Amino acid sequence: MNAALHDFLFQVYPYVCFTVFVVGSLIRFDQNQYSWKSDSSQMLRSGLLRWGSNLFHFGVLFLFFGHMVGLFTPHSVYGIFMSASTKQLLAVSAGGVAGAMCFAGLTMLLYRRLFDPRIRHTSHATDIAVLVVLWVQLVVGLVTLPYSLQHTDGSVMLILADWAQRIVTLRPVDASALAGLPWPFLFHIVFGMTIFLLFPFSRLVHVWSGFGAVAYLFRSPQIVRARRLNVPAGQNLPGQPSAVPPTEVARALDNPRATR
């Protein structure tokens, strides 16, 4: 890879993607909230969706938070009770299981989008493109597992973690430290950042709603008021005398012309 391109991808490109990710999401929420949805196709066909969606979401959430913990936890924190090689072996094992689940679920979702006529006809091009991008990213991530097992000392993991931590803490980044890594790692990093770049312009924005739904558990109690004011409690329930309109009113409602 060209040195200038390598420096751009691993020193500048991360900040471009993060800026577009945050600013683009805010603009879309402010300007086009009606598009802030996942466009579920469950009503059209729910066969593969149940298994595919559950496997994919469980796997991708585990992988996402696993990457966050693995990359952004300083070695001085987990080094107290775990060596770098042990952490890498744990990451490969757990990530491999979650990755296999995610791969199976995502393949099901992509298959029904491509080969189910009803779903294909109602799908936007971006819906299919997002699934393809995620599928390619997941496959490359699984390809990195054998390479990780070739460096059981945890050296590759430490290099990647140091780069990621320097990016998020705005410290100087030495992109040349990544130059010697196998190509699947570099491709996986760049493609992962590209997903954040595409995030505000696709259905992926509904991920924000998923995280925001956690606040629903801690919301203030809702105050529900009766439509009839000054009515004793229990007297305005369906079937109660106070809830049944007088005979004259009921006739007027059933036959409006008779009241003219």
Side-chain angles (χ1 to χ4, degrees):
M1 183 186 298
N2 181 272
L5 177 61
H6 180 85
D7 292 342
F8 171 79
L9 289 177
F10 298 102
Q11 289 182 329
V12 180
Y13 191 56
Y15 297 108
V16 173
C17 295
F18 182 75
T19 302
V20 173
F21 168 68
V22 175
V23 177
S25 297
L26 291 174
I27 293 176
R28 180 168 179 178
F29 181 77
D30 181 66
Q31 300 294 327
N32 197 6
Q33 293 186 22
Y34 286 105
S35 69
W36 196 280
K37 55 184 179 178
S38 61
D39 288 330
S40 175
S41 58
Q42 182 176 1
M43 295 184 64
L44 299 177
R45 195 94 64 193
S46 61
L48 290 175
L49 180 63
R50 183 178 298 106
W51 279 101
S53 180
N54 289 332
L55 287 172
F56 167 70
H57 283 92
F58 179 84
V60 77
L61 287 174
F62 186 94
L63 292 174
F64 176 79
F65 288 109
H67 278 68
M68 294 298 102
V69 174
L71 288 175
F72 300 123
T73 302
H75 178 66
S76 59
V77 174
Y78 66 83
I80 300 175
F81 54 89
M82 183 187 304
S83 64
S85 59
T86 302
K87 180 189 175 187
Q88 179 164 317
L89 182 61
L90 178 62
V92 170
S93 303
V97 174
M101 295 178 60
C102 188
F103 175 80
L106 186 56
T107 302
M108 293 180 188
L109 297 179
L110 183 59
Y111 175 84
R112 61 192 296 275
R113 283 282 176 184
L114 293 176
F115 299 104
D116 190 309
R118 297 182 66 192
I119 299 176
R120 178 66 183 270
H121 183 72
T122 57
S123 297
H124 300 288
T126 55
D127 297 337
I128 299 176
V130 166
L131 291 178
V132 171
V133 168
L134 292 176
W135 192 87
V136 172
Q137 173 70 348
L138 180 60
V139 169
V140 176
L142 293 174
V143 171
T144 64
L145 297 181
Y147 288 91
S148 297
L149 293 176
Q150 296 176 9
H151 303 84
T152 55
D153 58 349
S155 57
V156 173
M157 181 194 64
L158 291 175
I159 293 174
L160 295 174
D162 180 71
W163 171 82
Q165 291 167 23
R166 287 180 176 274
I167 289 292
V168 298
T169 55
L170 305 179
R171 290 182 292 165
V173 177
D174 182 14
S176 61
L178 303 176
L181 298 182
W183 71 266
F185 290 101
L186 303 181
F187 185 92
H188 192 59
I189 293 173
V190 174
F191 216 60
M193 293 186 295
T194 304
I195 292 176
F196 283 93
L197 183 69
L198 301 175
F199 186 95
F201 312 104
S202 67
R203 62 189 299 173
L204 290 174
V205 292
H206 81 279
V207 176
W208 283 120
S209 300
F211 289 118
V214 178
Y216 183 83
L217 301 175
F218 307 98
R219 76 191 192 285
S220 301
Q222 293 182 333
I223 300 177
V224 180
R225 301 183 184 276
R227 296 180 62 183
R228 293 172 176 267
L229 300 180
N230 300 323
V231 175
Q235 298 301 315
N236 61 331
L237 299 176
Q240 296 292 332
S242 59
V244 179
T247 305
E248 295 79 6
V249 176
R251 290 176 179 175
L253 293 174
D254 294 334
N255 188 10
R257 294 183 178 181
T259 60
R260 295 181 181 178

